[in-house]
Amino acid sequence: GRTDLFEDEIIAEWIDLIQADEDWQQTLDGNDVDYVLVEPNRPLVNELLLAGWTLVYEDSLSVLFRK
């Protein structure tokens, strides 16, 4: 990966987000995120479904959600 391009704070926020930590919704809302592209096995996937996000695309490598 190219994580050296980002500050540690951003990477920590991303890890918390894909793990669906308790403030994942605030993270997305605070950054005006309308689409999420993530690996299908991440805990965030189930949380997005439960929160009413729309599954736009899915394959073995990724899922795409729209708010």
Side-chain angles (χ1 to χ4, degrees), residues 45-57:
V45 171
N46 289 332
E47 295 300 322
L48 291 170
L49 288 169
L50 291 172
W53 284 60
T54 302
L55 180 61
V56 176
Y57 176 80

mmCIF file with all atom_site columns, all heavy atoms in Angstrom, residues 45-57:
data_model
loop_
_atom_site.group_PDB
_atom_site.id
_atom_site.type_symbol
_atom_site.label_atom_id
_atom_site.label_alt_id
_atom_site.label_comp_id
_atom_site.label_asym_id
_atom_site.label_entity_id
_atom_site.label_seq_id
_atom_site.pdbx_PDB_ins_code
_atom_site.Cartn_x
_atom_site.Cartn_y
_atom_site.Cartn_z
_atom_site.occupancy
_atom_site.B_iso_or_equiv
_atom_site.pdbx_formal_charge
_atom_site.auth_seq_id
_atom_site.auth_comp_id
_atom_site.auth_asym_id
_atom_site.auth_atom_id
_atom_site.pdbx_PDB_model_num
ATOM 1   N N   . VAL A 1 45 ? -19.561 -3.480 6.151   1.00 0.00 ? 45 VAL A N   1
ATOM 2   C CA  . VAL A 1 45 ? -20.563 -3.893 5.159   1.00 0.00 ? 45 VAL A CA  1
ATOM 3   C C   . VAL A 1 45 ? -21.904 -4.159 5.824   1.00 0.00 ? 45 VAL A C   1
ATOM 4   O O   . VAL A 1 45 ? -22.936 -3.644 5.381   1.00 0.00 ? 45 VAL A O   1
ATOM 5   C CB  . VAL A 1 45 ? -20.069 -5.116 4.359   1.00 0.00 ? 45 VAL A CB  1
ATOM 6   C CG1 . VAL A 1 45 ? -21.170 -5.688 3.497   1.00 0.00 ? 45 VAL A CG1 1
ATOM 7   C CG2 . VAL A 1 45 ? -18.855 -4.748 3.523   1.00 0.00 ? 45 VAL A CG2 1
ATOM 8   N N   . ASN A 1 46 ? -21.910 -4.946 6.872   1.00 0.00 ? 46 ASN A N   1
ATOM 9   C CA  . ASN A 1 46 ? -23.177 -5.248 7.564   1.00 0.00 ? 46 ASN A CA  1
ATOM 10  C C   . ASN A 1 46 ? -23.800 -4.004 8.175   1.00 0.00 ? 46 ASN A C   1
ATOM 11  O O   . ASN A 1 46 ? -25.028 -3.837 8.146   1.00 0.00 ? 46 ASN A O   1
ATOM 12  C CB  . ASN A 1 46 ? -22.958 -6.307 8.636   1.00 0.00 ? 46 ASN A CB  1
ATOM 13  C CG  . ASN A 1 46 ? -22.681 -7.665 8.040   1.00 0.00 ? 46 ASN A CG  1
ATOM 14  O OD1 . ASN A 1 46 ? -23.121 -7.975 6.943   1.00 0.00 ? 46 ASN A OD1 1
ATOM 15  N ND2 . ASN A 1 46 ? -21.921 -8.464 8.756   1.00 0.00 ? 46 ASN A ND2 1
ATOM 16  N N   . GLU A 1 47 ? -22.971 -3.134 8.719   1.00 0.00 ? 47 GLU A N   1
ATOM 17  C CA  . GLU A 1 47 ? -23.493 -1.909 9.323   1.00 0.00 ? 47 GLU A CA  1
ATOM 18  C C   . GLU A 1 47 ? -24.120 -0.995 8.277   1.00 0.00 ? 47 GLU A C   1
ATOM 19  O O   . GLU A 1 47 ? -25.158 -0.372 8.531   1.00 0.00 ? 47 GLU A O   1
ATOM 20  C CB  . GLU A 1 47 ? -22.392 -1.176 10.089  1.00 0.00 ? 47 GLU A CB  1
ATOM 21  C CG  . GLU A 1 47 ? -21.874 -1.939 11.283  1.00 0.00 ? 47 GLU A CG  1
ATOM 22  C CD  . GLU A 1 47 ? -22.947 -2.239 12.314  1.00 0.00 ? 47 GLU A CD  1
ATOM 23  O OE1 . GLU A 1 47 ? -23.821 -1.387 12.551  1.00 0.00 ? 47 GLU A OE1 1
ATOM 24  O OE2 . GLU A 1 47 ? -22.897 -3.336 12.896  1.00 0.00 ? 47 GLU A OE2 1
ATOM 25  N N   . LEU A 1 48 ? -23.500 -0.907 7.121   1.00 0.00 ? 48 LEU A N   1
ATOM 26  C CA  . LEU A 1 48 ? -24.078 -0.088 6.044   1.00 0.00 ? 48 LEU A CA  1
ATOM 27  C C   . LEU A 1 48 ? -25.435 -0.642 5.612   1.00 0.00 ? 48 LEU A C   1
ATOM 28  O O   . LEU A 1 48 ? -26.382 0.119  5.397   1.00 0.00 ? 48 LEU A O   1
ATOM 29  C CB  . LEU A 1 48 ? -23.119 -0.020 4.851   1.00 0.00 ? 48 LEU A CB  1
ATOM 30  C CG  . LEU A 1 48 ? -21.839 0.777  5.073   1.00 0.00 ? 48 LEU A CG  1
ATOM 31  C CD1 . LEU A 1 48 ? -20.873 0.553  3.919   1.00 0.00 ? 48 LEU A CD1 1
ATOM 32  C CD2 . LEU A 1 48 ? -22.133 2.256  5.267   1.00 0.00 ? 48 LEU A CD2 1
ATOM 33  N N   . LEU A 1 49 ? -25.525 -1.944 5.491   1.00 0.00 ? 49 LEU A N   1
ATOM 34  C CA  . LEU A 1 49 ? -26.810 -2.565 5.130   1.00 0.00 ? 49 LEU A CA  1
ATOM 35  C C   . LEU A 1 49 ? -27.878 -2.273 6.181   1.00 0.00 ? 49 LEU A C   1
ATOM 36  O O   . LEU A 1 49 ? -29.007 -1.903 5.844   1.00 0.00 ? 49 LEU A O   1
ATOM 37  C CB  . LEU A 1 49 ? -26.637 -4.076 4.955   1.00 0.00 ? 49 LEU A CB  1
ATOM 38  C CG  . LEU A 1 49 ? -25.885 -4.529 3.717   1.00 0.00 ? 49 LEU A CG  1
ATOM 39  C CD1 . LEU A 1 49 ? -25.544 -6.008 3.807   1.00 0.00 ? 49 LEU A CD1 1
ATOM 40  C CD2 . LEU A 1 49 ? -26.688 -4.227 2.459   1.00 0.00 ? 49 LEU A CD2 1
ATOM 41  N N   . LEU A 1 50 ? -27.509 -2.425 7.446   1.00 0.00 ? 50 LEU A N   1
ATOM 42  C CA  . LEU A 1 50 ? -28.459 -2.163 8.527   1.00 0.00 ? 50 LEU A CA  1
ATOM 43  C C   . LEU A 1 50 ? -28.878 -0.699 8.592   1.00 0.00 ? 50 LEU A C   1
ATOM 44  O O   . LEU A 1 50 ? -30.005 -0.386 8.992   1.00 0.00 ? 50 LEU A O   1
ATOM 45  C CB  . LEU A 1 50 ? -27.864 -2.583 9.876   1.00 0.00 ? 50 LEU A CB  1
ATOM 46  C CG  . LEU A 1 50 ? -27.693 -4.082 10.092  1.00 0.00 ? 50 LEU A CG  1
ATOM 47  C CD1 . LEU A 1 50 ? -26.903 -4.346 11.377  1.00 0.00 ? 50 LEU A CD1 1
ATOM 48  C CD2 . LEU A 1 50 ? -29.043 -4.773 10.128  1.00 0.00 ? 50 LEU A CD2 1
ATOM 49  N N   . ALA A 1 51 ? -27.987 0.194  8.175   1.00 0.00 ? 51 ALA A N   1
ATOM 50  C CA  . ALA A 1 51 ? -28.277 1.633  8.215   1.00 0.00 ? 51 ALA A CA  1
ATOM 51  C C   . ALA A 1 51 ? -29.035 2.108  6.979   1.00 0.00 ? 51 ALA A C   1
ATOM 52  O O   . ALA A 1 51 ? -29.333 3.293  6.863   1.00 0.00 ? 51 ALA A O   1
ATOM 53  C CB  . ALA A 1 51 ? -26.968 2.412  8.360   1.00 0.00 ? 51 ALA A CB  1
ATOM 54  N N   . GLY A 1 52 ? -29.346 1.196  6.059   1.00 0.00 ? 52 GLY A N   1
ATOM 55  C CA  . GLY A 1 52 ? -30.154 1.559  4.910   1.00 0.00 ? 52 GLY A CA  1
ATOM 56  C C   . GLY A 1 52 ? -29.390 2.029  3.689   1.00 0.00 ? 52 GLY A C   1
ATOM 57  O O   . GLY A 1 52 ? -29.993 2.544  2.748   1.00 0.00 ? 52 GLY A O   1
ATOM 58  N N   . TRP A 1 53 ? -28.072 1.880  3.683   1.00 0.00 ? 53 TRP A N   1
ATOM 59  C CA  . TRP A 1 53 ? -27.310 2.220  2.488   1.00 0.00 ? 53 TRP A CA  1
ATOM 60  C C   . TRP A 1 53 ? -27.667 1.239  1.381   1.00 0.00 ? 53 TRP A C   1
ATOM 61  O O   . TRP A 1 53 ? -28.023 0.092  1.630   1.00 0.00 ? 53 TRP A O   1
ATOM 62  C CB  . TRP A 1 53 ? -25.819 2.155  2.787   1.00 0.00 ? 53 TRP A CB  1
ATOM 63  C CG  . TRP A 1 53 ? -25.298 3.319  3.582   1.00 0.00 ? 53 TRP A CG  1
ATOM 64  C CD1 . TRP A 1 53 ? -25.696 3.699  4.830   1.00 0.00 ? 53 TRP A CD1 1
ATOM 65  C CD2 . TRP A 1 53 ? -24.299 4.238  3.179   1.00 0.00 ? 53 TRP A CD2 1
ATOM 66  N NE1 . TRP A 1 53 ? -24.986 4.803  5.238   1.00 0.00 ? 53 TRP A NE1 1
ATOM 67  C CE2 . TRP A 1 53 ? -24.116 5.158  4.240   1.00 0.00 ? 53 TRP A CE2 1
ATOM 68  C CE3 . TRP A 1 53 ? -23.518 4.389  2.047   1.00 0.00 ? 53 TRP A CE3 1
ATOM 69  C CZ2 . TRP A 1 53 ? -23.201 6.198  4.189   1.00 0.00 ? 53 TRP A CZ2 1
ATOM 70  C CZ3 . TRP A 1 53 ? -22.599 5.417  1.997   1.00 0.00 ? 53 TRP A CZ3 1
ATOM 71  C CH2 . TRP A 1 53 ? -22.454 6.313  3.047   1.00 0.00 ? 53 TRP A CH2 1
ATOM 72  N N   . THR A 1 54 ? -27.581 1.676  0.138   1.00 0.00 ? 54 THR A N   1
ATOM 73  C CA  . THR A 1 54 ? -27.939 0.854  -1.014  1.00 0.00 ? 54 THR A CA  1
ATOM 74  C C   . THR A 1 54 ? -26.706 0.168  -1.584  1.00 0.00 ? 54 THR A C   1
ATOM 75  O O   . THR A 1 54 ? -25.700 0.828  -1.878  1.00 0.00 ? 54 THR A O   1
ATOM 76  C CB  . THR A 1 54 ? -28.570 1.730  -2.121  1.00 0.00 ? 54 THR A CB  1
ATOM 77  O OG1 . THR A 1 54 ? -29.715 2.386  -1.566  1.00 0.00 ? 54 THR A OG1 1
ATOM 78  C CG2 . THR A 1 54 ? -28.968 0.912  -3.316  1.00 0.00 ? 54 THR A CG2 1
ATOM 79  N N   . LEU A 1 55 ? -26.796 -1.143 -1.732  1.00 0.00 ? 55 LEU A N   1
ATOM 80  C CA  . LEU A 1 55 ? -25.726 -1.891 -2.367  1.00 0.00 ? 55 LEU A CA  1
ATOM 81  C C   . LEU A 1 55 ? -25.825 -1.676 -3.869  1.00 0.00 ? 55 LEU A C   1
ATOM 82  O O   . LEU A 1 55 ? -26.813 -2.054 -4.497  1.00 0.00 ? 55 LEU A O   1
ATOM 83  C CB  . LEU A 1 55 ? -25.840 -3.372 -2.027  1.00 0.00 ? 55 LEU A CB  1
ATOM 84  C CG  . LEU A 1 55 ? -24.798 -4.290 -2.626  1.00 0.00 ? 55 LEU A CG  1
ATOM 85  C CD1 . LEU A 1 55 ? -23.401 -3.920 -2.149  1.00 0.00 ? 55 LEU A CD1 1
ATOM 86  C CD2 . LEU A 1 55 ? -25.114 -5.735 -2.278  1.00 0.00 ? 55 LEU A CD2 1
ATOM 87  N N   . VAL A 1 56 ? -24.821 -1.038 -4.442  1.00 0.00 ? 56 VAL A N   1
ATOM 88  C CA  . VAL A 1 56 ? -24.821 -0.675 -5.862  1.00 0.00 ? 56 VAL A CA  1
ATOM 89  C C   . VAL A 1 56 ? -24.114 -1.727 -6.699  1.00 0.00 ? 56 VAL A C   1
ATOM 90  O O   . VAL A 1 56 ? -24.527 -2.033 -7.813  1.00 0.00 ? 56 VAL A O   1
ATOM 91  C CB  . VAL A 1 56 ? -24.146 0.706  -6.065  1.00 0.00 ? 56 VAL A CB  1
ATOM 92  C CG1 . VAL A 1 56 ? -24.042 1.061  -7.533  1.00 0.00 ? 56 VAL A CG1 1
ATOM 93  C CG2 . VAL A 1 56 ? -24.892 1.776  -5.300  1.00 0.00 ? 56 VAL A CG2 1
ATOM 94  N N   . TYR A 1 57 ? -23.032 -2.276 -6.165  1.00 0.00 ? 57 TYR A N   1
ATOM 95  C CA  . TYR A 1 57 ? -22.232 -3.247 -6.905  1.00 0.00 ? 57 TYR A CA  1
ATOM 96  C C   . TYR A 1 57 ? -21.568 -4.189 -5.918  1.00 0.00 ? 57 TYR A C   1
ATOM 97  O O   . TYR A 1 57 ? -21.223 -3.796 -4.800  1.00 0.00 ? 57 TYR A O   1
ATOM 98  C CB  . TYR A 1 57 ? -21.153 -2.536 -7.731  1.00 0.00 ? 57 TYR A CB  1
ATOM 99  C CG  . TYR A 1 57 ? -20.240 -3.486 -8.452  1.00 0.00 ? 57 TYR A CG  1
ATOM 100 C CD1 . TYR A 1 57 ? -20.625 -4.085 -9.646  1.00 0.00 ? 57 TYR A CD1 1
ATOM 101 C CD2 . TYR A 1 57 ? -19.003 -3.821 -7.916  1.00 0.00 ? 57 TYR A CD2 1
ATOM 102 C CE1 . TYR A 1 57 ? -19.797 -4.981 -10.294 1.00 0.00 ? 57 TYR A CE1 1
ATOM 103 C CE2 . TYR A 1 57 ? -18.172 -4.716 -8.566  1.00 0.00 ? 57 TYR A CE2 1
ATOM 104 C CZ  . TYR A 1 57 ? -18.567 -5.294 -9.746  1.00 0.00 ? 57 TYR A CZ  1
ATOM 105 O OH  . TYR A 1 57 ? -17.751 -6.183 -10.383 1.00 0.00 ? 57 TYR A OH  1
#
